[in-house]
Amino acid sequence: MINKAIFIYFAAVILLSAVLVITRKNPIHSVLFMLLLFFHIAGVFVVLNAEFLAAVQLIVYAGAILILYLFVVMLLNVETESKASRANRYWPWAAGFGLLVAAEIALLVARGTFPLDTAQPMRLGASGVKELGIVLYTRYLVPFEIASIILLVGLVGAVMLAKKRSSE
Amino acid sequence: MIPLSWYVMLSAGLFTIGVVGVLSRRNIFIILMSIELMLNAANINLVAFAHYLQSLTGHIFVIFVITVAAAEAAVALAIIILLARNRGSVYVDEFNLMKG
């Protein structure tokens, strides 16, 4: 019972702050609502016994990616933001389409039954750092190495793109 | 115990909000943040299914998704800085150089 109440609180705040992220005029407000959203997603991860992922969510998403966004938003101009319109001219179509898809998914999920609903969830401690590390460094070692190459490409690409051309 | 369908509903709602954000906003920052919203919706789904299937694969894939999201954010923000420097705008409907 208390689990359900906690989950409903997290889900409500996640959906509300997601709507606020895409509707605010000022991008800085959007980034701050995104921060709130990431904290509550970390809360959902804790409810699902994924403590390590909750920590990674907070450290990498809230701590690194979002701060990067905040820096770039502040680097570029925000003073023209209050005059410009926030949505393109097709936004009623997009919003209607979104409502339609959300209603459709809700209907399908509500009418269907999940066999996993009655399944036994993961036991406590089965998804700790030790178990995760053992799986990551044995079975998923090659994807792990590829992920490091992706990070290297991202690092080099960001530096190459954003540096000023001195010779031209 | 929380039913799995609740997590699926939450993640579907979050994903839909992200799609609407990508389709309707003009500011390129908000579009990128909407993409992050969609990635997070997928993460919630992966962790929920991993929890109910008693498998750690979902957790591993969430780690990879976060890695790709970090690399994507770094490169995309560099591209945005270049765009703002060369074209003087962060609104996607003003980038119509290739429109015939």
Side-chain angles (χ1 to χ4, degrees):
Chain A
M1 198 56 224
I2 186 88
N3 267 352
K4 283 187 178 171
I6 290 170
F7 175 79
I8 288 171
Y9 161 71
F10 281 135
V13 175
I14 284 172
L15 291 178
L16 192 70
S17 53
V19 170
L20 287 171
V21 164
I22 67 162
T23 51
R24 291 305 92 194
K25 191 162 238 180
N26 192 339
I28 294 178
H29 295 173
S30 288
V31 173
L32 293 178
F33 279 118
M34 197 82 176
L35 186 66
L36 187 68
L37 181 122
F38 284 155
F39 269 94
H40 285 80
I41 286 180
V44 170
F45 286 172
V46 170
V47 171
L48 283 166
N49 290 339
E51 305 90 0
F52 177 68
L53 287 183
V56 167
Q57 175 87 10
L58 287 186
I59 293 167
V60 177
Y61 257 125
I65 297 178
L66 218 55
I67 298 303
L68 199 61
Y69 273 95
L70 204 55
F71 265 115
V72 178
V73 169
M74 286 174 167
L75 202 66
L76 300 176
N77 52 338
V78 284
E79 67 269 15
T80 61
E81 204 62 41
S82 50
K83 295 189 287 289
S85 78
R86 66 187 93 173
N88 61 22
R89 63 203 151 114
Y90 304 114
W91 77 267
W93 291 97
F97 166 76
L99 280 179
L100 190 73
V101 172
E104 194 176 342
I105 295 173
L107 189 71
L108 282 178
V109 173
R111 284 179 60 189
T113 52
F114 281 82
L116 288 177
D117 267 349
T118 53
Q120 202 62 32
M122 197 181 289
R123 64 176 198 285
L124 213 58
S127 57
V129 182
K130 188 182 167 197
E131 290 79 9
L132 213 59
I134 288 172
V135 177
L136 187 61
Y137 290 120
T138 55
R139 199 169 158 203
Y140 294 99
L141 185 63
V142 178
F144 179 74
E145 296 291 339
I146 293 172
S148 72
I149 294 174
I150 289 175
L151 280 178
L152 180 68
V153 170
L155 182 72
V156 176
V159 171
M160 278 303 293
L161 281 172
K163 84 173 187 348
K164 281 216 162 59
R165 308 267 160 80
S166 53
S167 56
E168 292 164 27
Chain B
M1 203 174 95
I2 304 159
L4 177 63
S5 50
W6 290 21
Y7 292 105
V8 179
M9 290 261 210
L10 168 65
S11 125
L14 194 56
F15 190 87
T16 316
I17 292 170
V19 171
V20 171
V22 168
L23 290 180
S24 64
R25 288 299 299 251
R26 293 173 71 225
N27 195 325
I28 198 164
F29 287 111
I30 313 291
I31 291 178
L32 269 178
M33 276 192 260
S34 304
I35 294 173
E36 303 285 338
L37 284 186
M38 291 194 269
L39 289 172
N40 272 289
N43 283 352
I44 290 177
N45 235 346
L46 285 171
V47 177
F49 274 95
H51 184 65
Y52 282 88
L53 286 171
Q54 306 187 24
S55 150
L56 279 176
T57 310
H59 291 210
I60 304 287
F61 270 82
V62 169
I63 294 175
F64 290 146
V65 168
I66 290 177
T67 309
V68 171
E72 172 236 320
V75 174
L77 288 171
I79 291 174
I80 290 177
I81 289 178
L82 266 189
L83 268 179
R85 199 188 282 155
N86 290 337
R87 312 268 312 158
S89 165
V90 290
Y91 297 110
V92 286
D93 49 1
E94 289 168 12
F95 302 139
N96 50 6
L97 203 63
M98 292 178 77
K99 194 172 174 184

